[in-house]
Amino acid sequence: MTASRPADTGLFRDPDFRRLWTADAVSQAGTAVTLLALPLVAISTLHADAFQAGLLVAFEYLGFLLLGLPAGALVDRTRGRRVMIAGDLGRAALLGSVPAAAWLDVLSLVQLYAVAFGLSVCTVFFDVAAQSQLPRLVEPHRLVEANVRIEAGRTLTQAAGPGAGGALVGVLTAPVALVLDAASYLASAALLARIRRPDAVPGAVVPDGGGVPGDAVRGTARSLWADIAEGLRFVLGNRLLRALTLGSAVSNLFGTMGAAMLLVLLAGELGLSPLLCGLVFTAEAAGGFLGSLLTTRIARRLGQGPAMCAAVVTSGVLWLAAVPCFQSDGRLALAVALQGLGWTAFMTFKITSVSFRQQLCPEPMLGRMTATFRFVVWGVMPVGALAGAVLGQHLGARPALWIGALGELAAVLPLLLSPLRSMRELPRRVLPAEEGPACRSPLG
C-alpha cells in the first residue's frame, strides 16, 4: 500500500485545495466577527434580555434541525461547489441587511431572528457540500492531513477574528462590523468559483445499482425520502458512527446551553467591553489551532479511539473549571486560559471524528452521511440554546453555564460504551470493487 502512494508534494501545491482552504479561512475569519457582533447587536443595540439573546442563538442553528436531512440528499444530487457558492452569496446578503436596517433606523429583534435563521439555512447546505467536496479533492490517504490543514486554517483565522471583532465593535458599532463578514463571504464565493476541478454531479443511487450518470437517471432515481432513509440507516446502523453521533450530540446540546449565555454573562451581567469579550473567543480559537497541530501526534500515541475519549473528558473538565473564573477582575485571565486549553483538548476528538466519517463513508453517500450526522448533532443546538435562554432568564447566566459544563462531561459515555474506547486504529471503507449493494458500510 505504501509503495503505491504518489510522491508527497504537499497539499498546498495543489491549487484547487489551496483555493478551497483559503476560501474557508476567509469565510471563517468573517464568521468569527459575527460570532461576537450579532449577539452584541441584540444585547447592546436592541437591549435584549437573557431569553431574547438565547433565542437568537437558537435561530442560528434552527436550519440544521428543520432542513438537515433533506439537505444531504439534495447535495448528493447536485453540484456541491455551486451549493457552496450560493450559500456564501446568501449569507453575504443576509448580513448586509443588518447594517442597512440600522442606518435606516428600522432594525428590530424580529429581523435579527430572521437573519439568524437564514444564515443557518445557508450554512446547512454550505457545510454539507463542503465536507462532501474535500474527499473529492484529495487522495484518501491524505484526508486526515487535509482536515488538519482545514481546521488549522479555521482556528488560525478565528484566533484573530473575535479580538479584531471586539475592537471593530467598540469603534464602529456591532451592526457596521457585520459589513466585514458580508465581504468575507463574497471573497469566499469568488475563490470557490476559481477551483478548476470539474464540479460533476455525483451519480444517483438507483434501485438496481445501475451505473448511469446522475443527470441521466433523474427520472428513475429513488425518491428524496428513500435517499434520506438510507443516510439514516448508514449512520445510525453503524455502532461506531452511532456512538460518535450520540457523543457529539450530547456535547453540542449542553455546550450550546452554556454558549448561549456566555455573552449575556460577559457583556450583560459583568459589563465587560467588546474587546474583552472578544478575547474569550480568541482564546478558544487559539486553543483550537494548537489542538489541530497536536491531533495527529496525540492520536498516534494514544490510539485514535482512546484519544477521542480522553479529549472529551479533558476538555469537559477544563471548561467546568473555567465557569467560576468568569469575573470582572484578574480571574478572567484564568478563565480565558482554561477556555482555550479546553479547545486544545477537544480538537483531537473533532478532527479525528470528521476524518473517520469521511474515510468510512462511500463517496456517493457523503452528502447524506454528513447531513444525517449534522441533523442530529447540530439539530440539538437550538434546543440547547432555548434551554439556556430559559435557564438564564429564571436562574441567571452563570447557573446556565454550570449546567452546560456539567452536562458536557456526559458526552464521553456513548464513546466509552462502544468499541471506540479501545480501538487504536479506526476502520476505513472497503474498496469500490468490494462494496456491497446500496453502498453499505463495512461495519454496518
Side-chain angles (χ1 to χ4, degrees):
M1 293 294 291
T2 305
S4 65
R5 287 185 180 181
D8 187 349
T9 57
L11 282 171
F12 285 112
R13 295 189 182 182
D14 181 343
D16 284 343
F17 176 80
R18 191 166 61 245
R19 291 181 184 112
L20 178 67
W21 182 91
T22 307
D24 187 79
V26 168
S27 175
Q28 293 296 329
T31 300
V33 175
T34 299
L35 180 69
L36 185 70
L38 196 62
L40 283 179
V41 171
I43 295 170
S44 302
T45 305
L46 300 177
H47 309 292
D49 59 27
F51 179 78
Q52 291 168 329
L55 192 59
L56 178 64
V57 177
F59 275 108
E60 289 178 335
Y61 298 108
L62 189 58
F64 287 91
L65 181 62
L66 299 181
L67 297 172
L69 290 177
L74 290 169
V75 166
D76 278 341
R77 295 174 176 217
T78 189
R79 291 173 171 84
R81 198 155 61 247
R82 291 185 182 180
V83 173
M84 295 171 67
I85 293 171
D88 272 338
L89 296 177
R91 289 185 287 189
L94 287 163
L95 285 171
S97 73
V98 176
W103 290 330
L104 295 172
D105 200 25
V106 294
L107 184 63
S108 67
L109 277 172
V110 173
Q111 180 181 346
L112 284 190
Y113 293 151
V115 168
F117 176 66
L119 289 173
S120 74
V121 171
C122 292
T123 302
V124 167
F125 285 94
F126 181 94
D127 286 357
V128 170
Q131 286 204 12
S132 303
Q133 284 290 299
L134 187 60
R136 297 180 179 121
L137 285 181
V138 302
E139 295 150 347
H141 73 276
R142 308 203 72 166
L143 200 51
V144 173
E145 179 190 356
N147 277 305
V148 168
R149 296 286 186 270
I150 291 288
E151 290 297 335
R154 287 179 178 180
T155 51
L156 181 62
T157 53
Q158 288 171 347
L168 288 170
V169 169
V171 174
L172 302 176
T173 73
V176 179
L178 292 174
V179 173
L180 293 180
D181 195 7
S184 75
Y185 286 125
L186 293 176
S188 174
L191 286 163
L192 290 170
R194 294 188 60 211
I195 293 178
R196 298 180 183 274
R197 196 78 53 91
D199 191 13
V201 178
V205 181
V206 295
D208 296 327
V212 187
D215 281 336
V217 298
R218 287 296 167 258
T220 59
R222 294 178 305 173
S223 72
L224 184 67
W225 293 111
D227 284 349
I228 291 172
E230 187 174 36
L232 284 167
R233 286 195 301 271
F234 179 82
V235 173
L236 301 182
N238 181 300
R239 57 182 179 172
L240 300 184
L241 290 178
R242 185 168 62 245
L244 283 177
T245 302
L246 292 176
S248 300
V250 172
S251 177
N252 278 4
L253 175 68
F254 287 99
T256 312
M257 187 182 299
M261 290 296 103
L262 183 55
L263 270 178
V264 174
L265 175 66
L266 298 177
E269 296 185 10
L270 298 180
L272 300 181
S273 68
L275 181 59
L276 287 177
C277 293
L279 287 178
V280 176
F281 295 98
T282 297
E284 292 181 358
F289 175 67
L290 177 61
S292 69
L293 300 180
L294 297 174
T295 289
T296 304
R297 188 176 304 173
I298 293 171
R300 188 183 301 121
R301 173 163 295 189
L302 299 181
Q304 292 177 312
M308 286 197 290
C309 295
V312 174
V313 172
T314 304
S315 61
V317 170
L318 289 167
W319 289 330
L320 186 65
V323 174
C325 299
F326 283 115
Q327 304 290 344
S328 56
D329 52 31
R331 287 171 289 182
L332 180 65
L334 179 58
V336 169
L338 290 169
Q339 194 82 352
L341 288 173
W343 276 100
T344 300
F346 192 73
M347 289 305 290
T348 295
F349 172 76
K350 183 177 180 181
I351 292 177
T352 306
S353 172
V354 170
S355 300
F356 168 57
R357 297 197 314 268
Q358 291 172 335
Q359 290 172 340
L360 188 66
C361 182
E363 186 171 313
M365 286 190 64
L366 282 167
R368 280 165 287 168
M369 179 276 294
T370 301
T372 300
F373 184 84
R374 293 211 166 195
F375 167 72
V376 178
V377 171
W378 287 58
V380 301
M381 294 174 80
V383 179
L386 188 59
V390 173
L391 290 171
Q393 187 73 13
H394 293 283
L395 302 179
R398 196 181 300 275
L401 284 172
W402 275 113
I403 294 171
L406 285 168
E408 284 207 63
L409 284 171
V412 75
L413 293 178
L415 308 183
L416 294 177
L417 295 174
S418 77
L420 285 168
R421 67 182 182 278
S422 59
M423 296 182 70
R424 292 191 58 83
E425 193 74 25
L426 298 178
R428 303 186 181 196
R429 67 176 178 264
V430 294
L431 296 173
E434 301 170 327
E435 287 177 1
C439 300
R440 276 184 172 269
S441 158
L443 297 177

